[in-house]
Amino acid sequence: MQSSLKIALTRLGETFLKVAMAALWQPSSRFHRVHGTNVRIDPSGTQATRVESFANGLCFSQEPLQPGQLFLVEIEEKELGWCGHLRVGLTAQDPCTLEVVPEYSLPDLVNTGESWVFAITRNHNRVTPEGEEPQSPVQGKGFLSDPYLRVEKFKIPKDKLVGRSQPNRYSHILDDLYKTNLLPPTARRSRIGVLYTPQSDGTGDMHIIINGEDMGPSAKSIPAHRPLYAVVDVFASTKSVRVVQVEYGFPSLQTLCRLIIQKHIVHRMAIDWLDLPPLLKNLCKYE
């Protein structure tokens, strides 16, 4: 165990160089300057907060998405008293051409044509293709057993894709839920994204990604020859979201560190008992 942890510590030191080099080529995601009247975008362009009411929270990606490029957000703040949750999707409409940003993504934006939006719910987000049997959640399978999310021909390291609840004094009781990624999709810190995959007939399929899991093709036959912007509707009980920059290519060295250390522990709280630097402990607990 000690030798494995030494390897992990060495890799942690290399992580900072890898991240710096990756930042030179990886596409960054931002929100568009065009958005709903009740939304405020922070100066970095990565946080969208609905400041009043429950509607007019429509946001778009700053640039059209490339095939397989994931636009990912994390739910940062919830607001009690409203019915409904975050909505995400794609639109072939350039936000700059909108005379008025619609009040709702569903049905207003969709009804204008060339937009496809999916309402996130606490349950039942997975789309089962016609002719296939519904998949049940994989029990007892750790998140890092496969470090990639695979959506058709695209592979994305899972490291940044999964939302995590903060560990607490009861984490050892809930650790099985933690390992199987059962953080509710609508919960704070849940991470939700959208991408599209090109098909042989020139169209595209829209996929919703929730905490590192592909929910299947929630919309098909999208005109992939057109620029497609991500749609994020900060609706109702979802008050604030933050863009998460996705890493592509190989899994990060951070992920490899977690893989090594998590193989030798029983649950998250056991990390506190290891003779490791606090920074590395926090990394392994997703803090």
Side-chain angles (χ1 to χ4, degrees):
M1 176 177 178
Q2 291 299 324
S3 61
S4 296
L5 291 179
K6 287 181 180 179
I7 294 174
L9 286 169
T10 301
R11 287 173 172 169
L12 179 64
E14 297 169 351
T15 299
F16 298 102
L17 177 61
K18 180 181 177 71
V19 171
M21 294 178 64
L24 296 176
W25 65 270
Q26 290 178 352
S28 60
S29 298
R30 299 286 187 274
F31 285 116
H32 202 283
R33 61 180 177 81
V34 174
H35 52 77
T37 57
N38 283 340
V39 166
R40 298 294 179 269
I41 306 296
D42 78 334
S44 71
T46 61
Q47 184 184 52
T49 303
R50 196 184 66 255
V51 294
E52 62 178 315
S53 184
F54 63 94
N56 284 302
L58 202 52
C59 303
F60 307 93
S61 61
Q62 180 175 272
E63 304 290 342
L65 300 185
Q66 298 300 313
Q69 179 186 353
L70 180 64
F71 192 86
L72 182 70
V73 298
E74 179 177 299
I75 299 175
E76 284 206 321
E77 189 176 351
K78 303 294 295 288
E79 186 171 39
L80 299 177
W82 303 114
C83 181
H85 305 283
L86 186 72
R87 298 166 171 181
V88 298
L90 298 170
T91 183
Q93 297 188 55
D94 184 338
C96 291
T97 65
L98 294 172
E99 294 184 6
V100 177
V101 177
E103 184 176 8
Y104 304 99
S105 59
L106 287 171
D108 298 0
L109 179 66
V110 171
N111 284 349
T112 63
E114 299 184 314
S115 295
W116 305 265
V117 178
F118 191 91
I120 305 301
T121 63
R122 185 178 176 86
N123 302 294
H124 311 301
N125 294 292
R126 188 175 298 279
V127 176
T128 303
E130 187 175 352
E132 294 185 12
E133 293 294 326
Q135 297 180 357
S136 59
V138 179
Q139 298 299 326
K141 182 178 179 181
F143 155 61
L144 288 172
S145 58
D146 182 352
Y148 287 105
L149 167 69
R150 303 170 190 269
V151 184
E152 298 184 16
K153 67 178 182 180
F154 298 100
K155 295 198 310 182
I156 308 172
K158 283 185 179 179
D159 194 38
K160 293 289 189 72
L161 307 188
V162 178
R164 293 295 187 188
S165 60
Q166 290 280 6
N168 54 49
R169 61 187 297 184
Y170 301 111
S171 288
H172 64 289
I173 299 174
L174 301 176
D175 202 61
D176 285 341
L177 297 180
Y178 161 81
K179 287 182 178 180
T180 52
N181 301 327
L182 295 184
L183 183 67
T186 58
R188 192 174 70 86
R189 301 197 73 183
S190 185
R191 293 187 175 184
I192 299 170
V194 61
L195 59 80
Y196 76 92
T197 58
Q199 303 301 305
S200 58
D201 62 357
T203 65
D205 289 354
M206 181 178 80
H207 288 253
I208 304 300
I209 310 301
I210 299 179
N211 289 322
E213 298 290 335
D214 177 17
M215 297 294 109
S218 53
K220 293 187 175 184
S221 300
I222 293 174
H225 63 282
R226 299 274 304 279
L228 294 171
Y229 294 80
V231 176
V232 177
D233 192 353
V234 187
F235 177 69
S237 65
T238 303
K239 184 173 179 63
S240 181
V241 299
R242 175 179 57 86
V243 175
V244 179
Q245 304 302 333
V246 178
E247 296 176 358
Y248 299 91
F250 295 104
S252 70
L253 291 175
Q254 291 178 330
T255 299
L256 299 177
C257 287
R258 291 192 183 105
L259 274 169
I260 292 171
I261 294 175
Q262 290 178 348
K263 286 179 180 178
H264 296 86
I265 61 173
V266 179
H267 52 75
R268 270 192 294 181
M269 297 306 290
I271 294 173
D272 289 329
W273 308 335
L274 298 175
D275 185 18
L276 296 174
L279 179 62
L280 182 55
K281 291 182 180 180
N282 293 340
L283 182 71
C284 293
K285 292 188 296 184
Y286 297 88
E287 290 186 319

